[in-house]
Amino acid sequence: MTKNINNDEKFNNENLKKTITKKKSFFSFTNFFKKTKNLILHKIKNIFFKKKIDSSIYHNLKEILLLADVGIITTNYLIQNFKITIQKKNITDVAEAYNIFKKKLYTFLKFETQNFIQNVNDFKKIHVFLFVGVNGVGKTSTLVKLAYFYQKKGKKVLLVAGDTFRAAAIEQLKDWGKFYNFPVFSKNLGTDPSSVIFDSLKFALIKKFDMVFIDTAGRLHNKINLMHELKKIDRVVKKYKKYIIQETILVLDACIGQNSIQQTRFFNKTLTLSNIIMTKLDGTAKGGILIAIIYELKIPIYYICVGEKIHNLVEFNSKKFIDSLF
């Protein structure tokens, strides 16, 4: 059914269309959030291509954000904040409301990567990356991708096989090392991982490496004994604090959705995380979980993994992320 609209309504809708379609080509982001974008975009259009703003907009926005995996806590706060702004400023123009909504998301995500390697050019100290996470998140392959990224920037990098419980884990890292010309520090299967890491850092200091990437065994966040072992590893790394800058990176699987929040809380309580790298955003995962993690936990997303190839590591940028969705 065709709907007749007056000139003012037509003008507002045309402006909104321009607002939505006018964007730069964010290839690295737009292609990797198709599922979230498809969930959001057609529903956003239904909400904001209206003659005027009514109370249904808040209910519909809430539904959209929950479907996109933003989570109930972050969603409720975002909607309430948006509602207060609309009512306080007496906003009735749909295009203006749309832009306000986007700006709210920008504000929520402004805390992202600013505290990652603040002294990356401080060559007096070695930058040590301690990678942690549960089984199967893609921790080892992500570690290699980041090491490759910095190797291409001219950094002298060392990989450390800290997962001594699985022979396959050690061999996998050695294979990556051979393929991409990384030196790999390892010991025999079953060796205390803390011992491996302690000796590797001593080796890195002697050989004057710029960066050390430490792989650890995957562990469930609710297994107390395994988390205690991780604390021990962390204490060993901190013994070298006069000579290193430590970054503890949690690798998360985007496909598990809201469970990422719980995982992050446990690991952060154990280790105090520096940053997060989110993997598997090239498949069926919904990217809204990134918004929830940044807002609820105040831990920056450093990189996102969007494929299995060595270069499929994309630096996270909140503005490009939001623009890619809208």
Side-chain angles (χ1 to χ4, degrees):
M1 182 174 67
T2 303
K3 180 183 176 183
N4 294 322
I5 58 177
N6 58 39
N7 289 333
D8 288 337
E9 183 182 351
K10 182 177 180 180
F11 175 78
N12 287 337
N13 282 346
E14 287 301 319
N15 281 350
L16 182 57
K17 287 178 182 178
K18 289 177 182 178
T19 302
I20 290 177
T21 57
K22 184 182 179 182
K23 58 181 173 52
K24 295 180 180 179
S25 178
F26 295 126
F27 177 81
S28 297
F29 277 80
T30 304
N31 288 351
F32 303 135
F33 293 104
K34 287 182 180 179
K35 185 176 180 64
T36 308
K37 185 173 182 177
N38 290 338
L39 280 168
I40 288 177
L41 199 57
H42 74 283
K43 291 180 179 291
I44 285 288
K45 287 178 180 178
N46 289 338
I47 292 174
F48 287 103
F49 285 118
K50 288 186 174 183
K51 183 176 181 180
K52 62 180 181 179
I53 296 173
D54 55 41
S55 59
S56 67
I57 191 174
Y58 309 114
H59 173 79
N60 292 334
L61 275 175
K62 183 175 182 177
E63 179 186 8
I64 291 169
L65 293 174
L66 290 176
L67 283 172
D69 234 348
V70 174
I72 190 66
I73 294 175
T74 304
T75 294
N76 283 341
Y77 189 86
L78 179 58
I79 296 300
Q80 186 63 23
N81 198 287
F82 175 64
K83 184 177 181 180
I84 290 172
T85 302
I86 294 297
Q87 293 177 345
K88 185 177 181 179
K89 295 185 177 182
N90 195 27
I91 304 297
T92 58
D93 180 77
V94 287
E96 187 176 357
Y98 176 84
N99 286 323
I100 287 174
F101 182 64
K102 280 184 67 175
K103 287 178 181 178
K104 292 294 179 185
L105 288 175
Y106 288 148
T107 301
F108 272 34
L109 297 184
K110 66 181 179 180
F111 179 86
E112 45 180 271
T113 61
Q114 65 269 27
N115 69 347
F116 187 84
I117 312 184
Q118 296 175 0
N119 302 304
V120 71
N121 293 318
D122 181 3
F123 295 107
K124 295 178 181 178
K125 292 187 175 182
I126 298 175
H127 293 270
V128 177
F129 300 76
L130 180 63
F131 276 73
V132 299
V134 303
N135 309 72
V137 296
K139 183 161 36 60
T140 304
S141 59
T142 301
L143 176 153
V144 172
K145 289 172 185 175
L146 191 60
Y148 179 80
F149 174 82
Y150 281 110
Q151 186 189 59
K152 289 297 180 183
K153 286 181 173 290
K155 303 296 183 182
K156 185 179 179 182
V157 304
L158 173 68
L159 308 189
V160 179
D163 181 357
T164 59
F165 299 107
R166 294 187 305 117
I170 298 173
E171 293 306 315
Q172 180 188 19
L173 206 60
K174 286 182 177 179
D175 287 342
W176 281 115
K178 289 178 183 178
F179 194 82
Y180 291 109
N181 198 28
F182 295 132
V184 176
F185 189 95
S186 66
K187 288 191 176 183
N188 294 331
L189 183 68
T191 305
D192 181 4
S194 297
S195 172
V196 176
I197 291 165
F198 182 86
D199 290 343
S200 72
L201 293 178
K202 183 178 180 180
F203 176 78
L205 285 168
I206 293 172
K207 297 297 183 180
K208 297 182 179 181
F209 281 91
D210 297 316
M211 294 180 164
V212 178
F213 296 82
I214 302 173
D215 193 20
T216 62
R219 63 200 72 223
L220 293 175
H221 55 285
N222 56 0
K223 297 296 183 181
I224 297 175
N225 59 326
L226 295 178
M227 297 304 280
H228 282 170
E229 182 187 69
L230 207 51
K231 279 186 177 180
K232 181 182 176 183
I233 291 173
D234 187 54
R235 287 195 300 269
V236 166
V237 174
K238 283 180 168 54
K239 288 182 179 181
Y240 287 91
K241 63 182 179 181
K242 290 183 180 180
Y243 312 103
I244 69 170
I245 296 173
Q246 180 183 348
E247 295 286 343
T248 304
I249 299 177
L250 175 65
V251 181
L252 289 174
D253 182 342
C255 297
I256 66 172
Q258 290 299 303
N259 285 335
S260 296
I261 299 288
Q262 190 72 350
Q263 279 187 23
T264 305
R265 283 198 177 102
F266 271 91
F267 276 98
N268 194 44
K269 185 177 179 181
T270 302
L271 296 174
T272 306
L273 301 170
S274 305
N275 302 274
I276 290 170
I277 294 180
M278 185 75 74
T279 65
K280 305 180 185 180
L281 278 164
D282 54 320
T284 60
K286 295 174 285 184
I289 188 60
L290 296 170
I291 300 172
I293 288 174
I294 294 173
Y295 172 68
E296 292 184 37
L297 303 177
K298 299 298 185 290
I299 301 172
I301 308 293
Y302 176 45
Y303 268 87
I304 56 175
C305 290
V306 291
E308 296 180 359
K309 295 181 179 179
I310 194 70
H311 60 271
N312 289 153
L313 196 65
V314 181
E315 189 172 2
F316 183 74
N317 179 293
S318 60
K319 189 177 187 304
K320 290 182 180 180
F321 171 60
I322 297 301
D323 285 343
S324 73
L325 298 183
F326 296 95

